[in-house]
Amino acid sequence: FEVKWDGPDDPNNPLNWSLIKKVFILTSVAMQALMVVLYSTSYLSGSPGMMEEFGIESSTLITLGMTTYMTGLATGPLVLAPMSELYGRRPVYLISLFLFLVFLLPACLAKNFATILVVRFFVALVGSVTISNAPGSLGDIFNEDQRTLAFSLYALAPMNGPVLGPIIGGFVYQGAGWRWINWLVLIIAVVLFATSFAIPETYTPVLMRQKAERKRKETGDDRYMSRFCHKEGEGALWALIWKNLKRPLIMLFTEPICAFWALYIAAVYGVLYLCFTAYPIVFSQIRGWGPGLSGLAFCGIGIGAVFAIVLGPVNRRIYEMHKIDPSTGKRPPEARIVFVCLAAVLTPLATVWFAWTCAPTTIHWIWPLLSGIPYGLGNTLIFLHGSVYLVDSYDIYAASAMAGNTVCRSIIGGVMPLFGPKMYASLGPNWAATTVGLITAALIPIPWGFYKWGKKVRMRSPMLLGLQKEKE
């Protein structure tokens, strides 16, 4: 009486859906992620207008709007990711995107800065669903052979969102004022919320539970169950909720893969968000560029992110060079992170390049801008293949694994901009950027260590061993 898919070619299995359907889901979650991340950094473009309207003189105080947003991005996945593993992806997406609209409206109409700070936290809290759950959604519908390309295309959104934020925000602020940055995101959110109704449920455990329930109703026989029904049990609702809510934190602190990977990506992400205070200092204050033009300085990082996607076929060849693990019948997840090992070296080199070309102004502006290309390339490769590694390793618990990762990187990403202005003022742009480069250089051994010893670490994980036994 165990309910399963009707064979390997069952059309109801998300892995067997049509390419058009998969591309639609991929595009939808990518655009949602782009919107949420773009809103995080476009805020700084409108900060001069807010400072003038609300009488704020401290640059550190105005940066708190970025910190509260990143705190919301850090908090949301702890709730939304496990909820998607309990109730399914679709209801969590729909409810969260609706609340995103609701909380955006006060930001558009705010009469004081306190409203901006509070509202941005809640906007990010519910908006984080697009960052934490999207990798799990893509893992639901794309098999191992398709995953790298799918994640590459998806990564264009969260990696270019921070870059597009200052560019779009700079020109919108220059032409229409800071409030229209919020109104623009609200308009985009309405469109994406409407299209999200067309996205079906993708999470296999929920689909199996629904299939078992239909079978019980059709036959009147309560013995029809899926293995996911048996695993979750029919116990108290709050016990199930608590079990799922605590999973991301348990994984973050007890799974070495989650812990060290979160530390590494958080550091890289923090440096990225530090750029959003460093670039305005270098290009606006030191070089005298206007709001719109200084936003274009981020184009180098965006070009580097595109190059990372173009290298997809090369990564594919490297991935296929690895031998299939006889115990699983698949290539090991560590085959995904060869590019991460190379990017770990590239990112600090690019940071040091920027450090010693950003000032003085006698150095042509093209050199610090070009340093963004290898930086964007390395950053995107780390984010992209690190995410695929976690999804391949943790399978149905991918969303929880990514949630812990998102928490760490969002906290660091929110804190770093607070230190940026003071650090650049006290150390100067050259040594401030060099310090950041040295920090990322110190973390180079992490991906290399996982490439060499990752399998041994996984073989000692009770959670991963349990998942493997269930599959067998």
Side-chain angles (χ1 to χ4, degrees):
F1 295 91
E2 182 181 358
V3 177
K4 303 178 181 179
W5 294 122
D6 299 330
D9 299 321
D10 188 342
N12 293 316
N13 186 339
L15 293 174
N16 298 326
W17 288 349
S18 68
L19 181 61
I20 293 177
K21 194 172 185 178
K22 291 181 179 181
V23 170
F24 171 72
I25 296 172
L26 168 62
T27 304
S28 297
V29 297
M31 292 304 297
Q32 291 167 13
L34 177 66
M35 169 188 68
V36 171
V37 179
L38 179 149
Y39 188 52
S40 71
T41 55
S42 61
Y43 166 84
L44 291 176
S45 299
S47 59
M50 284 184 282
M51 292 176 74
E52 182 179 348
E53 181 170 335
F54 298 133
I56 300 171
E57 297 180 358
S58 170
S59 59
T60 301
L61 180 60
I62 198 71
T63 308
L64 278 175
M66 172 78 84
T67 304
T68 57
Y69 194 87
M70 298 305 292
T71 305
L73 287 182
T75 308
L78 293 175
V79 178
L80 301 177
M83 286 295 99
S84 76
E85 292 170 348
L86 179 61
Y87 295 110
R89 317 284 192 209
R90 191 171 189 270
V92 175
Y93 275 122
L94 290 174
I95 294 172
S96 298
L97 289 173
F98 173 74
L99 292 175
F100 187 84
L101 296 173
V102 172
F103 290 125
L104 256 177
L105 196 57
C108 299
L109 304 171
K111 300 297 183 183
N112 53 66
F113 185 58
T115 301
I116 296 287
L117 291 180
V118 173
V119 166
R120 279 181 64 82
F121 170 80
F122 287 105
V123 169
L125 180 75
V126 293
S128 65
V129 68
T130 65
I131 309 298
S132 63
N133 289 8
S137 297
L138 299 183
D140 294 339
I141 61 177
F142 291 103
N143 59 38
E144 287 83 356
D145 294 332
Q146 302 168 327
R147 239 170 237 170
T148 299
L149 177 59
F151 272 82
S152 297
L153 296 173
Y154 165 76
L156 284 171
M159 293 312 300
N160 280 307
V163 175
L164 290 174
I167 296 174
I168 296 174
F171 284 109
V172 171
Y173 166 66
Q174 199 168 300
W178 68 270
R179 289 185 186 274
W180 268 100
I181 297 175
N182 298 287
W183 285 114
L184 176 63
V185 175
L186 180 61
I187 293 169
I188 297 171
V190 170
V191 175
L192 294 179
F193 175 64
T195 58
S196 66
F197 280 92
I199 301 176
E201 181 57 63
T202 64
Y203 191 48
T204 293
V206 170
L207 293 174
M208 284 287 93
R209 288 198 288 268
Q210 292 173 352
K211 184 177 181 179
E213 185 178 356
R214 287 195 303 270
K215 196 74 174 177
R216 291 194 295 269
K217 288 183 178 179
E218 290 170 2
T219 62
D221 192 334
D222 289 338
R223 289 177 293 179
Y224 283 100
M225 300 285 282
S226 77
R227 66 187 178 95
F228 301 104
C229 296
H230 176 70
K231 183 172 64 177
E232 296 295 353
E234 299 292 340
L237 175 63
W238 288 109
L240 289 176
I241 292 175
W242 173 244
K243 176 183 177 182
N244 282 267
L245 284 177
K246 67 183 181 181
R247 186 184 298 129
L249 287 176
I250 291 175
M251 292 175 69
L252 179 61
F253 291 106
T254 62
E255 292 287 315
I257 292 176
C258 293
F260 283 99
W261 216 243
L263 170 66
Y264 181 62
I265 293 185
V268 173
Y269 206 71
V271 173
L272 174 64
Y273 270 79
L274 186 61
C275 288
F276 298 112
T277 56
Y279 270 50
I281 291 172
V282 169
F283 291 101
S284 295
Q285 297 179 18
I286 296 177
R287 294 183 179 267
W289 293 14
L293 196 59
S294 62
L296 290 175
F298 291 93
C299 285
I301 299 177
I303 294 171
V306 173
F307 281 165
I309 309 307
V310 173
L311 288 173
V314 179
N315 177 72
R316 175 72 181 172
R317 292 291 299 273
I318 295 174
Y319 174 72
E320 291 175 346
M321 289 169 61
H322 290 76
K323 295 180 180 179
I324 292 177
D325 187 341
S327 63
T328 62
K330 302 175 183 177
R331 290 177 176 84
E334 287 71 33
R336 301 287 191 186
I337 56 175
V338 175
F339 265 11
V340 180
C341 296
L342 300 176
V345 179
L346 185 61
T347 300
L349 290 177
T351 306
V352 173
W353 175 355
F354 173 78
W356 294 101
T357 58
C358 66
T361 55
T362 52
I363 301 174
H364 196 276
W365 56 266
I366 193 64
W367 295 112
L369 194 147
L370 287 176
S371 71
I373 296 177
Y375 178 76
L377 171 63
N379 220 35
T380 304
L381 290 174
I382 291 169
F383 176 81
L384 166 62
H385 298 293
S387 298
V388 179
Y389 177 58
L390 287 176
V391 171
D392 278 4
S393 296
Y394 288 96
D395 196 37
I396 62 171
Y397 295 134
S400 286
M402 288 299 299
N405 192 284
T406 303
V407 168
C408 289
R409 75 171 189 247
S410 297
I411 291 174
I412 300 298
V415 171
M416 289 293 275
L418 291 176
F419 296 106
K422 290 185 177 180
M423 186 170 69
Y424 271 76
S426 59
L427 297 179
N430 305 117
W431 282 107
T434 301
T435 302
V436 172
L438 293 174
I439 292 172
T440 53
L443 298 173
I444 289 175
I446 291 179
W448 286 91
F450 272 106
Y451 180 70
K452 184 172 179 61
W453 298 297
K455 182 178 179 180
K456 293 182 179 179
V457 174
R458 286 187 291 107
M459 290 300 98
R460 295 180 180 180
S461 166
M463 175 175 282
L464 293 180
L465 289 175
L467 282 175
Q468 184 60 30
K469 287 182 180 178
E470 283 187 6
K471 288 180 181 179
E472 293 170 356

